Amino acid sequence: MYEFHESKHREDQFLDLVTEAQGWLYAYILSLLANHDAANEVLQESNLVIWRKHEEFELGTNFRAWALRIANFQVMAFRQKKVRELQPFNIELVENISKKMQHRAADYDQRLDILAKCLEDLSEYSRDLVTRRYIQGDSISEIAQDLRKDSNAVRQILFRIKARLIECTQTKIRKLDYNA
């Protein structure tokens, strides 16, 4: 019974990782194929392989790198299968694009972490405004009405907050690049 429960919990965690990966995995595949239908087909194939191999994945390791490697193999298999239907690609170019996309995927996670730290540095008031506008999707006029401010004033406040976030993230990225 305990083994079943532990196995079920692991599968749930793995399923969460796969679900969260769909957006960036699709973008990666699309960047290599430049065709939405083909990208959807390869994404589905990649998901099948990822699920078939789920026991090989070690929770806590880099899921993104593991999934991208599987997707890359699926793209190559797709090309071999559909070689007459697809325009010929320069293999070296595709490999370069693949490497850059993998690097950007890692970069993306790092930038999200930096942004989260910069958001923590904001005042509670500023964080609340950012949350309302960009996470909850409240309109500027709704926020202005709740704060009893002019819409233009709220726009200016949000503009200044965004400028602070940009400055903060760029500073932290430069420090990271300098230390690397």
Side-chain angles (χ1 to χ4, degrees):
M1 178 72 174
Y2 176 73
E3 235 178 79
F4 172 75
H5 185 304
E6 188 176 302
S7 173
K8 181 69 174 147
H9 180 67
R10 186 189 186 299
E11 284 182 5
D12 289 345
Q13 287 179 311
F14 187 81
L15 189 57
D16 288 344
L17 289 171
V18 173
T19 302
E20 291 168 7
Q22 295 305 290
W24 56 257
L25 202 52
Y26 175 77
Y28 172 73
I29 294 167
L30 182 61
S31 75
L32 296 176
L33 296 174
N35 177 301
H36 290 283
D37 293 332
N40 279 319
E41 184 177 332
V42 172
L43 176 64
Q44 296 311 311
E45 287 299 318
S46 298
N47 284 329
L48 287 172
V49 173
I50 287 169
W51 186 252
R52 269 190 237 122
K53 295 183 174 230
H54 78 278
E55 290 183 6
E56 295 175 23
F57 178 73
E58 200 172 316
L59 286 173
T61 61
N62 189 339
F63 179 79
R64 185 179 293 247
W66 185 76
L68 287 174
R69 196 167 42 253
I70 289 173
N72 196 39
F73 283 123
Q74 292 308 305
V75 167
M76 289 189 292
F78 176 83
R79 282 203 184 104
Q80 287 173 349
K81 188 172 102 180
K82 303 278 186 175
V83 74
R84 289 190 183 114
E85 296 172 24
L86 292 175
Q87 295 178 352
F89 283 96
N90 177 328
I91 297 301
E92 190 175 315
L93 173 66
V94 171
E95 287 174 358
N96 286 338
I97 291 172
S98 174
K99 287 176 187 171
K100 284 183 181 180
M101 286 302 295
Q102 288 177 14
H103 178 70
R104 284 188 181 169
D107 227 19
Y108 178 76
D109 286 341
Q110 195 173 45
R111 289 174 186 262
L112 275 180
D113 289 342
I114 289 171
L115 178 58
K117 288 175 185 162
C118 289
L119 282 166
E120 288 173 9
D121 292 344
L122 291 176
S123 68
E124 186 177 343
Y125 176 80
S126 295
R127 274 194 313 272
D128 287 344
L129 284 178
V130 168
T131 300
R132 287 192 63 191
R133 180 69 179 120
Y134 300 107
I135 295 174
Q136 294 174 354
D138 292 355
S139 70
I140 290 181
S141 59
E142 288 173 319
I143 296 169
Q145 187 177 6
D146 289 348
L147 297 176
R148 295 189 177 122
K149 292 187 184 251
D150 182 64
S151 291
N152 286 331
V154 172
R155 275 191 195 87
Q156 282 299 314
I157 293 168
L158 286 169
F159 177 81
R160 288 186 194 110
I161 293 169
K162 284 191 284 186
R164 272 186 273 162
L165 287 172
I166 289 168
E167 182 182 334
C168 176
T169 55
Q170 288 176 344
T171 300
K172 289 184 186 296
I173 289 169
R174 278 193 297 274
K175 284 181 185 176
L176 205 76
D177 290 342
Y178 178 75
N179 292 329

